[in-house]
Amino acid sequence: MADLKTRFFGLELKNPIIVASSGLTAKPQNIREFSDLGAGAIVLKSVFEEEVINEYNQIAQSKTSSHFEEFIDYFDYKIRDQILANYGKLIKDAKSCSKVPIIASINCVSSGDWLQFASQVQDAGADAIELNLMILPSDLERNAESNRRFYVEAVKEVVRAVKVPVTAKISSYFSDLACMCRELSEEGIAGITMFNRFSTPDIDIEREKVVPAGALSTVDEHLIPLRWIGLLSSKIQCDIAASSGIHEGKQAIKMLLAGANAVQIASTLYKNGNSYLGELIKQLEQWMQKKGYKSIADFKGKLSLEKVANPAIYERAQFLSHFGGYNENQ
Ligand SMILES: Cc1cc2nc3c(=O)[nH]c(=O)nc-3n(C[C@H](O)[C@H](O)[C@H](O)COP(=O)(O)O)c2cc1C
């Protein structure tokens, strides 16, 4: 039997298939099921800094008291305490009903006091913390340097505040993605998850309305993290987990060949049901048996930039001659 052990979140995992943060991981009964189905680890639904800010703003708008500031300070703490108490309970419940590492996920949109909550999450028993760091680079007042500083400061502060391993989950929206990953990896994090997906707007042409696009990924999306994992896995100091578009064992295997230590899955579980997790692990195991691989280390990174015969294929961005002879009937 193939040995599927790997490492991510600074922890040894029994296999590389991690259940990603989503609504599915906000419920203890799902967490128990994923643990029983053999997940390598489970990342809980993120606790969102924005949730605190939104609630705080709603209260601020509804109050015109002369003791407004005092009132707001009080509510600020109360809201934070309540949201964190609920999250602490989720961590405890998850730990008590599962046999696999439970990872807390904190979404930060500004660095500051909020990051101190990382230690509360640690005290509640999380085995590691994934920082869900997402800034849409759409603010014309905020240049790449100020965004870069936010990411690095957020990571530095949390790594300093806690003893459990910290990983960063980022999007691919960086003008200097490779430098950003290297810089984050030098700040003491255990790993980077590549990549989170933004919720995106769409347009309904019948109603002529801007609407949210579907939340689930398509399988083609795996090619984006695949390129960057292939390019960076041998160049940065921390472990990598792939995320986006991993719907079957096939995409998970590709990510490991490109150099990922693990993969995270969400959409495929929404589409195919929780039990598909077991199927995906089986597909990985069967492929390893077919290929004669005894452990993940036997093939991890076998097709990363530095190992492939034609590394230029990872770097090539323009179609040019590659599609010079493209035949649309192919
Ligand atoms: C309904 C839904 C909710 C999600 N909520 C979170 C979240 O709270 N925190 C987070 O870091 N990622 C969240 N994600 C993103 C997933 O963890 C994952 O990174 C992304 O969906 C790409 O992986 P996939 O193609 O396997 O879905 C969510 C995804 C979905 C579909």
Side-chain angles (χ1 to χ4, degrees), residues 20-22 45-46 48 132 169 196-197 217 243-245 266-267 270:
S21 176
S22 78
K45 172 85 183 146
S46 299
F48 282 91
N132 166 8
K169 183 178 188 185
N196 208 340
R197 297 173 72 241
S217 64
S243 168
S244 283
S267 294
Y270 277 101

Side-chain angles (χ1 to χ4, degrees), residues 94-236:
K95 286 292 296 176
S96 73
C97 69
S98 101
K99 297 186 274 311
V100 301
I102 294 296
I103 317 303
S105 168
I106 302 179
N107 168 265
C108 320
V109 291
S110 63
S111 50
D113 284 354
W114 176 255
L115 299 178
Q116 289 167 3
F117 291 144
S119 34
Q120 283 178 250
V121 157
Q122 167 181 258
D123 294 346
D127 294 296
I129 295 173
E130 181 169 82
L131 288 179
N132 166 8
L133 300 165
M134 299 252 301
I135 302 178
L136 189 70
S138 58
D139 184 346
L140 290 170
E141 304 303 317
R142 213 173 148 147
N143 62 17
E145 175 52 23
S146 64
N147 284 338
R148 188 198 65 79
R149 245 184 290 124
F150 159 72
Y151 283 92
V152 173
E153 287 307 314
V155 161
K156 251 193 203 164
E157 232 175 292
V158 175
V159 167
R160 212 184 299 136
V162 297
K163 292 198 177 61
V164 292
V166 177
T167 58
K169 183 178 188 185
I170 59 170
S171 77
S172 58
Y173 284 39
F174 288 96
S175 51
D176 58 352
L177 183 54
C179 295
M180 190 69 230
C181 290
R182 189 182 55 192
E183 199 168 347
L184 289 175
S185 78
E186 288 166 352
E187 293 299 342
I189 52 171
I192 299 180
T193 299
M194 299 178 187
F195 296 109
N196 208 340
R197 297 173 72 241
F198 284 115
S199 121
T200 46
D202 195 359
I203 289 183
D204 178 330
I205 60 167
E206 292 310 322
R207 291 190 293 151
E208 297 187 22
K209 260 186 109 170
V210 180
V211 293
L216 304 186
S217 64
T218 61
V219 73
D220 288 349
E221 291 176 42
H222 80 278
L223 295 174
I224 298 171
L226 182 73
R227 160 179 283 192
W228 290 99
I229 291 166
L231 280 171
L232 297 176
S233 57
S234 50
K235 293 189 175 169
I236 62 174

